[in-house]
């Protein structure tokens, strides 16, 4: 077994959970496409499953890399989008955030789509209340009127362009926890770049799945 897969397998076994983002809140929501451009998003609105998570799983009250995973239903099958909070200087490195509405979220790696490399970004809508980085606060935010985010497409240079709105409206603590996996669940022809990073992420996700099993 490759070393990277072995490491993620061991960490998942140790935690008895995902290697990273082990703690999360399962929620339901609605994705409304604004201007998809080259992205294969559903026309109009679609009901989605999502998960809000803490990357390292540190106790409440501490900053953490916050995660957002969304399963978008397409005719070709589910498309799992995963985002992590980032700092102000780069889209490719995860960075701890103070709260769910304070930071930008990024796919970290770009997608090869429409003949260009493009990142998917997300940020809380302007009118969202400020809450801390705990899962308790995330659930309260969703229950208190919904957690609304704007999804954008961004090239290496230029201004990000909004492509969809996401409203997370229902906490589903009693529902099963699906495994969001962007390496397994994606539309044909929409792949993460570069190839070596994609291979590394495939090994990491496979190790985490094996360790949980």
């Amino acid at each position: 077994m490759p070393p990277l897969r072995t490491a993620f397998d061991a960490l998942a076994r140790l935690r008895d959970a995902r290697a990273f983002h082990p703690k999360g809140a399962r929620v339901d929501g609605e994705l409304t496409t604004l201007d998809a451009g080259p992205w294969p998003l559903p026309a109009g609105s679609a009901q989605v499953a999502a998960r809000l998570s803490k990357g390292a799983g540190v106790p409440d009250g501490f900053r953490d890399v916050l995660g957002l995973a969304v399963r978008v239903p397409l005719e070709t099958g589910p498309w799992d989008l995963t985002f992590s909070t980032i700092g102000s200087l780069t889209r490719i490195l995860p960075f701890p955030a103070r709260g769910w509405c304070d930071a930008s979220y990024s796919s970290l790696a770009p997608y090869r789509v429409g003949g260009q490399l493009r990142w998917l970004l997300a940020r809380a809508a302007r009118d969202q209340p400020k809450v801390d980085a705990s899962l308790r606060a995330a659930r309260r935010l969703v229950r208190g009127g919904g957690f609304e985010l704007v999804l954008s497409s961004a090239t290496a240079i230029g201004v990000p362009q909004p492509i969809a709105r996401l409203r997370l409206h229902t906490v589903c603590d009693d529902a099963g926890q699906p495994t969001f996996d962007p390496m397994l669940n994606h539309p044909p022809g929409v792949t993460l770049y570069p190839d070596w990073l994609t291979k590394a992420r495939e090994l990491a996700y496979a190790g985490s799945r094996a360790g949980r099993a």
Side-chain angles (χ1 to χ4, degrees):
M1 184 183 293
L4 183 61
R5 176 169 175 169
T6 300
F8 275 75
D9 182 313
L11 183 55
R13 290 177 188 275
L14 180 65
R15 285 185 152 181
D16 192 24
R18 295 169 173 84
F20 287 103
H21 296 277
K23 299 179 180 179
R26 168 73 173 82
V27 297
D28 279 345
E30 182 178 57
L31 181 76
T32 302
T33 300
L34 303 174
D35 182 1
W39 298 95
L41 293 174
S45 297
Q47 299 303 308
V48 298
R51 185 174 186 263
L52 299 168
S53 60
K54 302 187 65 170
V58 300
D60 289 348
F62 293 89
R63 291 191 181 204
D64 202 344
V65 174
L66 303 180
L68 166 66
V70 184
R71 176 160 292 171
V72 182
L74 301 177
E75 291 183 358
T76 56
W79 186 12
D80 287 350
L81 306 177
T82 57
F83 303 85
S84 294
T85 51
I86 54 174
S88 59
L89 300 179
T90 178
R91 297 170 182 155
I92 64 174
L93 295 177
F95 195 81
R98 292 192 306 268
W100 295 95
C101 301
D102 293 313
S104 294
Y105 299 75
S106 170
S107 59
L108 300 184
Y111 286 84
R112 190 187 285 109
V113 60
Q116 283 187 297
L117 296 181
R118 303 171 189 264
W119 280 262
L120 281 175
L121 307 175
R123 189 165 183 91
R126 292 181 181 275
D127 57 349
Q128 294 295 281
K130 299 297 183 183
V131 297
D132 62 40
S134 67
L135 290 175
R136 180 179 62 253
R139 293 184 176 96
R140 187 169 66 247
L141 180 63
V142 172
R143 290 183 175 124
F147 182 17
E148 296 191 7
L149 302 103
V150 177
L151 272 57
S152 299
S153 171
T155 56
I157 58 175
V159 178
Q161 299 298 312
I163 59 173
R165 291 185 69 89
L166 174 66
R167 181 173 178 269
L168 305 176
H169 53 62
T170 304
V171 177
C172 306
D173 283 333
D174 296 332
Q177 291 285 337
T179 299
F180 295 90
D181 191 331
M183 312 315 300
L184 288 179
N185 301 318
H186 60 84
V190 180
T191 57
L192 290 165
Y193 180 87
D195 292 340
W196 67 263
L197 180 59
T198 298
K199 295 296 184 183
R201 290 183 70 170
E202 286 176 349
L203 290 173
Y205 273 89
S208 184
R209 287 195 301 270
R212 294 199 304 277

